[in-house]
């Protein structure tokens, strides 16, 4: 997320449009000018988060400035703090979705049993962009990243190439 990258943005002096939240936000981090934004429909965000809750899976909801949970989990919050340098805010699902523009949801599994439920959850929302991944620091943890279809990395990459009038080979991605 954008807020988790601020230290790197300052260190590297990045001042050109950059992609955040799996493609849901493209903005210039120096000027904060938004080039593209594709938030989740509030009803879709609420439906996914409620389904995660019903499946007994940990779910985070991300806005451009922070992230939120309905049910905190200290071990996952501590893991995320290691690279986000921020803990999630806790509130009711209705208040989170009602007061924040949600760009991305992340549902997390930490066991094989949870991973089965994670895959089933992803299959319930074909109208959204659902991608399951792992991280290098925690290969046993699976992350289901959920954005709107317009908020995909592929779409954001197309927007970036058009914005820069560049071919895909001329764009750096990391």
């Amino acid at each position: 997320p954008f807020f988790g990258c601020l230290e790197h943005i300052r260190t590297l002096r990045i001042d050109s449009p950059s992609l955040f939240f799996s493609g849901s936000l493209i903005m210039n981090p120096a000027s904060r000018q938004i080039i593209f934004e594709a938030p989740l429909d509030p009803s879709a965000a609420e439906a996914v988060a409620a389904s995660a809750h019903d499946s007994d899976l940990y779910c985070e909801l991300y806005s451009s400035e922070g992230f939120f949970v309905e049910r905190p989990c200290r071990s996952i919050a501590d893991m995320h703090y290691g690279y986000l340098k921020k803990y999630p805010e806790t509130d009711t699902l209705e208040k989170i979705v009602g007061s924040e523009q949600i760009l991305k949801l992340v549902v997390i599994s930490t066991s094989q049993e949870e991973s089965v439920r994670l895959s089933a959850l992803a299959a319930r929302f074909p109208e959204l962009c659902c991608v399951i991944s792992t991280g290098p620091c925690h290969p046993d943890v699976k992350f289901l990243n959920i954005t709107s279809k317009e908020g995909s990395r592929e779409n954001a990459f197309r927007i970036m190439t058009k914005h820069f009038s560049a071919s895909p080979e001329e764009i750096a991605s990391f």
Side-chain angles (χ1 to χ4, degrees):
F2 170 68
F3 58 84
C5 298
L6 289 174
E7 181 180 332
H8 301 296
I9 288 167
R10 289 183 189 116
T11 300
L12 298 172
R13 298 183 184 157
I14 296 172
D15 62 357
S16 62
S18 302
L19 182 152
F20 302 97
F21 302 103
S22 299
S24 289
L25 177 66
I26 300 172
M27 69 179 267
N28 181 319
S31 68
R32 302 263 176 134
Q33 176 192 11
I34 294 173
I35 309 299
F36 172 77
E37 191 172 34
L40 281 156
D41 178 87
S43 61
E46 191 166 357
V48 171
S51 291
H53 180 93
D54 292 345
S55 299
D56 199 28
L57 293 167
Y58 178 81
C59 179
E60 299 172 335
L61 298 91
Y62 287 79
S63 71
S64 61
E65 298 298 325
F67 72 117
F68 309 86
V69 296
E70 185 175 37
R71 295 180 312 167
C73 174
R74 188 62 184 198
S75 62
I76 294 175
D78 285 346
M79 176 183 67
H80 270 168
Y81 185 85
Y83 57 92
L84 295 178
K85 305 299 182 222
K86 189 174 195 170
Y87 282 105
E89 296 177 42
T90 303
D91 212 332
T92 66
L93 180 58
E94 294 78 20
K95 285 185 182 178
I96 297 166
V97 173
S99 64
E100 298 292 332
Q101 183 170 277
I102 303 302
L103 295 168
K104 176 179 175 177
L105 282 92
V106 179
V107 184
I108 300 171
S109 69
T110 58
S111 70
Q112 184 59 39
E113 180 184 302
E114 287 181 351
S115 293
V116 171
R117 295 195 310 267
L118 190 78
S119 295
L121 179 71
R124 277 186 251 158
F125 295 95
E127 72 280 11
L128 301 174
C129 182
C130 298
V131 177
I132 297 175
S133 62
T134 60
C137 295
H138 304 279
D140 53 328
V141 176
K142 291 193 177 169
F143 301 90
L144 170 57
N145 298 288
I146 303 169
T147 63
S148 67
K149 287 281 189 188
E150 300 80 27
S152 71
R153 286 184 173 102
E154 295 82 4
N155 188 47
F157 193 76
R158 281 191 291 276
I159 292 167
M160 293 285 279
T161 56
K162 184 177 179 182
H163 178 81
F164 286 113
S165 298
S167 68
E169 296 79 17
E170 296 173 292
I171 302 287
S173 175
F174 56 93

